[in-house]
Structure formats: structure tokens, C-alpha cells
Amino acid sequence: MQVPARFEYEVATSVEGAISLLQRYGSETRLLAGGHSLIPMMKLRLASPEVLVDIHRLDKDLRYIRDDGGTLRIGALARHKDVLESELVKEHYTLLTDAETMIADPLVRNMGTVGGALANGDPAEDLPAAFVALGAEVVARGPDGERTIAVEDLYTGPYETVLEPVDIITELRCSRQPAGSAYFKVERRAGDYASAAIGVALNLADGKIEDVRIGMCGVGSTTLRARETEELLRGQRPGAELYGRAGERAAEESNPLEDARGTAPYKRDLVRVLVGRALEKAVERAEVV
Amino acid sequence: MHIQVNVNGEMREADVEPRLLLVHFIRDYLGLTGTHWGCDTSNCGACTVHLDGEPVKSCTILAVRADGHEVTTIEGIWSGTGLTPVQEGFHEEHGLQCGFCTPGMIMTATALLERNPDPTEEEIRAAISGNLCRCTGYENIIRAVRWAADHRTAREEVSA
Ligand SMILES: Cc1cc2nc3c(=O)[nH]c(=O)nc-3n(C[C@H](O)[C@H](O)[C@H](O)COP(=O)(O)OP(=O)(O)OC[C@H]3O[C@@H](n4cnc5c(N)ncnc54)[C@H](O)[C@@H]3O)c2cc1C
Ligand code: FES
Ligand code: FES
């Protein structure tokens, strides 16, 4: 039987309250949101926090998805399920809907939160790659107030972020609304983490690709942004030949490690193929608008 | 920590360690052993219960997290006057063999039909993708859920 090691448990009733609990108990304290990354890690002793601060009672403040004059705002406690079911997301940020249909399973999606998915720092987590493609930023609040961090700057290594132990992510914000976007993932079996996954978000101007961003999941020690590939695509006319070159460049930019989900060359090849598919789909969606 | 959980419509109280998992609270403290406990790795769905009406994996939730919330287990979906349409569907379409996955499957299927009374085969497959069955095979389970959808609607029409 797997059970977590002993810990103390506190329930926060406000964001400020959560921050002061984090301050009071010190660095061996963790926030508990959906618990669907943290509890499995605690069962395996990959994490052994001394104190958990449960934030699920902050739903009233932090569970929302809304449009704020063209800026998408997702509260940290929005569940995967909320993102999947959001019409706003489906219409304007379609790659998030693509990603959510393939994140875990419906039972896990009822519990797992957007804030948890971003804070966890697992390079195989899907939402960070999708949010990198969108150019989104997290809003983090700590004892000294609020700051924003671009999702692509959030990670310093596997399960490592620039967040302080006393910070709480309150919101995910995205001011850029792409004309077309798509997320493609290969998984070994339904509900598994990605062997590799790619998110693309772009705009077209005069039939040419403009303002394109690509996020890569599961193919590096952190979530990656394929900057050189974006550079190669900018100002070009979409088409199969271009997608092929972009896929090859992204495969070079990726840095996968071999694990149970595949060998490094296999994952690299997935990047090549998935970048092509995601670009084609994103362009197709952009052209319909 | 002292917790109060509404389980199957009844207020249950206990003093528990924070690290106690909801599945063990349900089975060992309340004696409701219909909720199964299978993989321990959050994959199999044998431990599925409803938390505030949503199907979730109770092996990945702390019992203290359910304090002040509502939990429904397989024992709680039975109205007392016969089988529910979902249970009957599993019977009619041979949706179980060993029965280990069945309580979880039924909790997931029941929640699905409440939200989507007329699911397509694809929607049923997606809905049960977090519940593993190692012996019946999914075809019969999908037919069982479909049977329930058909007969649920038929019953509603009769009673309307
Ligand atoms: C069987 C299974 C399959 C899965 N498959 C996938 C998959 O295919 N793809 C995928 O992307 N994910 C997958 N997941 C992970 C799932 O999506 C998690 O629920 C999610 O990533 C983490 O969210 P959470 O709310 O459960 O976080 P928790 O487990 O509660 O927390 C995770 C970490 O983030 C911290 N944290 C949580 N909220 C905040 C906050 N607001 N501010 C600061 N720190 C915070 C916690 O302290 C902890 O360190 C899977 C999980 C399971 C159990
Ligand atoms: S015992 Fe909970 S998912 Fe398997
Ligand atoms: S009936 Fe045996 S595991 Fe499903």
C-alpha cells in the first residue's frame, strides 16, 4: 500500500492566507491544488513536504476562465475539465482544447488544475508547451505583491521554476489571440504523458506566416520554445515543403532524453513529424477565420 | 484532524491523519468496500467515486480534502427499488466478468449519462478512458453503457 509520509495539513481560505501560511511554515511547505501530481509523487517519496497548504477552498476567487477585452484570463484553480469545456478557449485558443482532450483522462481532468500543471515543472506536462506557443504569462503573488513571468521563462530545470517557495500562481494570462493554433501529441496509451507533443500558434498576413510561436513538450529537460524554427517560418508562404524544413529544424532544436516513453532518436523524429502536422492544422484554422 | 463528510447522504465523522487517502477512509473507516482499490498509481479508476457530483479517483485524494464535501460511492447510487439502468445494462450486456473494475466503471458511466444522456460510442470510450478493465473487454462495457442510455430515456418517456 502506498501512502504519503506524514505531514501537517492546513486549509487556506484566501490567497493572502495561503501566502502567510507558506511564510509561516518555511521552505518544506507545498501548496496542494488538485493533488494529481503532488500526491502520486508523495506516495513514491519523490516529494516529502512537511506541510501542505490546501488551496481548493479558493475556488471562489481562482476558478474562472474569461475574456478581458481580448486578453484570456484563466484562474489558477480552473480545472483541466473547465478548459476543455470552455467555448471561449475552443473558438480562439484551439490548441488548448486539442491539448486537453489528450491530457490524462476525464477523472484526472476533474481534479487537476491549470496552476498546478504550470507550477509542477514536469517537462512532459502538456499545458506549459501550449502556453509557450500562445506567449502566455503566469501571474504570481507573494508577500511583496504580484509579478508576471512569461511561461517560457518559468522553468530552470526539471521540476524547477523561478517561483519562490512563498509564491502562489493566481492566474494565467494571454494577451495574444492567434488566428490559428493546434496541439499534436503522441502518447504510448490513452491518458499517458507525451512521448513528444508540439503546440503551434500563428497569424497569417497576405498569405504569409507571421508571428508564429512553437512550444515543445517532453523533448528536453524543460518545456522548450523552438525559436530557430519560428525564425525560419516567419514571412514564408505556408506549404508542405516549408513544414518539412521546419520539422527538421525543430528536431535539431529539441533535446530529448531516452526514457520509458521512447528513445531520443524516436522522440526527435516525433518532433519532426508533429511540427509539420501542427503547422498544417494551425494554418488551415487560420485560413478559415 | 476531525473531518465531516457527507457520504451517500449521511454525515460521517472521524479523526484521521492528513495522509489518509479517501479510498482508505471509505473502505477501512466506513466499511464501504464496494469502492475498489487497484493500482495505487492513479491509473486504473477502480477507486472512482463522486466528489460533489464529479467522478474522481479516490486513491489520489486526501480524506481531509473531502471535509465538508459530498461523496457518493457505488453503495449510494442504488435507489433501493432495483438496479439502476447502468447496473442493469452491465447485467444485460455482460459488462463484467471478475467485477473488479465494475464499481468504478459504473460510477463513471453514471456521471456521464447525467451530463450527456445520449452519448455516442466515441463519447463513451473517451469517458471511460480512465477506467481500466483487464478481463471483460471494453466492447461489452460500451454496449452496457449504451443499453443504459437507451433504457434510461425509455423510462423517462414512460414516466413523463
Ligand atoms: C494518471 C495521470 C495521468 C496524467 N496525465 C497527464 C498528461 O497526459 N499530461 C499532463 O500534462 N498532465 C498529466 N497529469 C498531471 C495532471 O494534469 C495534474 O493534475 C496537473 O499537472 C497538476 O495539477 P494539480 O492541480 O493536480 O497540482 P498539484 O498536484 O496539487 O500540485 C503540483 C505542484 O504544483 C504546486 N502548485 C499547485 N498549484 C499551485 C499554485 N496555484 N501556485 C503555485 N504552486 C502551485 C504544488 O505545490 C505542487 O508542487 C496526469 C496525472 C495523473 C494522475
Ligand atoms: S486505485 Fe485509484 S486509480 Fe487505481
Ligand atoms: S471485469 Fe474484471 S477487470 Fe473489468
Side-chain angles (χ1 to χ4, degrees):
Chain A
M1 177 164 108
Q2 289 181 1
V3 286
R6 287 204 173 78
F7 55 85
E8 280 186 57
Y9 177 80
E10 295 275 359
V11 182
T13 51
S14 68
V15 173
E16 285 66 33
I19 295 168
S20 36
L21 285 166
L22 289 172
Q23 278 183 293
R24 175 165 3 133
Y25 286 106
S27 62
E28 293 309 307
T29 309
R30 294 266 203 121
L31 296 173
L32 179 72
H36 273 50
S37 289
L38 189 51
I39 292 174
M41 289 198 292
M42 288 171 68
K43 287 185 187 180
L44 296 167
R45 301 297 188 276
L46 295 172
S48 305
E50 287 165 11
V51 185
L52 288 187
V53 175
D54 189 335
I55 54 174
H56 85 271
R57 296 221 179 252
L58 310 187
D59 268 3
K60 56 185 189 322
D61 305 315
L62 298 183
R63 185 174 184 179
Y64 56 84
I65 298 178
R66 58 172 174 255
D67 174 64
D68 187 358
T71 295
L72 173 69
R73 300 170 78 134
I74 303 182
L77 288 180
R79 309 296 191 269
H80 288 301
K81 161 203 135 110
D82 301 335
V83 178
L84 180 59
E85 291 176 357
S86 161
E87 286 300 322
L88 167 68
V89 166
K90 193 170 168 186
E91 189 175 348
H92 294 296
Y93 310 91
T94 321
L95 87 168
L96 293 177
T97 313
D98 294 345
E100 287 291 2
T101 57
M102 298 189 74
I103 290 178
D105 58 57
L107 309 173
V108 173
R109 292 198 296 260
N110 281 338
M111 290 298 294
T113 65
V114 171
L118 282 156
N120 200 37
D122 180 345
E125 197 89 44
D126 288 290
L127 286 184
F131 284 125
V132 162
L134 284 172
E137 50 191 24
V138 299
V139 181
R141 206 182 298 172
D144 304 325
E146 209 169 77
R147 66 192 198 281
T148 57
I149 307 157
V151 176
E152 65 196 66
D153 298 331
L154 194 56
Y155 306 105
T156 52
Y159 301 96
E160 282 173 20
T161 69
V162 298
L163 295 172
E164 300 293 335
V166 288
D167 284 339
I168 169 169
I169 295 179
T170 55
E171 188 177 83
L172 195 293
R173 216 176 267 173
C174 178
S175 57
R176 167 173 171 267
Q177 203 174 77
S181 67
Y183 192 85
F184 277 72
K185 168 173 172 178
V186 168
E187 54 188 7
R188 289 173 306 170
R189 53 184 159 74
D192 197 10
Y193 287 90
S195 294
I198 298 292
V200 168
L202 50 76
N203 290 320
L204 296 177
D206 302 328
K208 290 181 185 155
I209 292 176
E210 200 195 62
D211 188 21
V212 56
R213 295 175 59 108
I214 301 175
M216 306 200 280
C217 157
V219 291
S221 61
T222 62
T223 302
L224 300 177
R225 177 175 171 195
R227 288 173 196 275
E228 291 171 25
T229 312
E230 294 170 8
E231 203 51 52
L232 177 152
L233 288 161
R234 215 160 279 137
Q236 304 294 311
R237 264 184 211 289
E241 188 270 336
L242 180 69
Y243 304 154
R245 278 196 290 130
E248 305 216 340
R249 176 62 60 87
E252 283 165 27
E253 275 191 85
S254 71
N255 190 14
L257 291 174
E258 171 158 358
D259 60 19
R261 300 191 198 108
T263 63
Y266 171 64
K267 290 183 188 177
R268 233 181 251 280
D269 207 45
L270 287 179
V271 170
R272 184 180 63 76
V273 174
L274 295 180
V275 162
R277 287 184 195 163
L279 278 168
E280 189 181 1
K281 183 55 114 185
V283 167
E284 193 184 300
R285 285 174 174 161
E287 280 168 346
V288 173
V289 179
Chain B
M1 180 177 161
H2 191 74
I3 59 170
Q4 288 187 316
V5 188
N6 182 327
V7 181
N8 300 332
E10 223 180 291
M11 197 52 85
R12 310 295 295 259
E13 298 190 32
D15 286 305
V16 302
E17 265 196 285
R19 63 173 171 164
L20 181 74
L21 299 170
L22 183 57
V23 66
H24 301 307
F25 175 68
I26 290 168
R27 289 175 57 85
D28 304 343
Y29 282 65
L30 306 182
L32 297 171
T33 53
T35 299
H36 290 169
W37 165 52
C39 65
D40 234 354
T41 58
S42 316
N43 282 292
C44 76
C47 62
T48 306
V49 300
H50 295 179
L51 178 62
D52 299 329
E54 304 270 19
V56 295
K57 292 175 173 175
S58 62
C59 72
T60 316
I61 296 173
L62 302 173
V64 289
R65 162 69 174 76
D67 181 34
H69 291 269
E70 281 178 29
V71 172
T72 308
T73 69
I74 186 75
E75 289 88 351
I77 62 159
W78 186 55
S79 59
T81 55
L83 298 177
T84 69
V86 178
Q87 288 173 317
E88 221 173 314
F90 273 71
H91 182 186
E92 288 296 324
E93 297 290 343
H94 307 285
L96 67 153
Q97 276 189 56
C98 78
F100 193 82
C101 69
T102 313
M105 285 287 181
I106 288 179
M107 295 313 286
T108 297
T110 302
L112 167 69
L113 296 180
E114 271 159 23
R115 290 163 53 96
N116 179 0
D118 189 22
T120 62
E121 181 185 326
E122 206 177 314
E123 286 168 338
I124 297 171
R125 279 183 191 276
I128 63 167
S129 64
N131 295 82
L132 304 184
C133 175
R134 292 290 87 153
C135 59
T136 301
Y138 297 103
E139 297 299 328
N140 283 8
I141 293 174
I142 289 156
R143 275 196 284 274
V145 179
R146 210 33 256 181
W147 190 99
D150 292 338
H151 291 77
R152 217 171 165 257
T153 343
R155 275 187 205 177
E156 274 160 18
E157 276 162 14
V158 170
S159 61

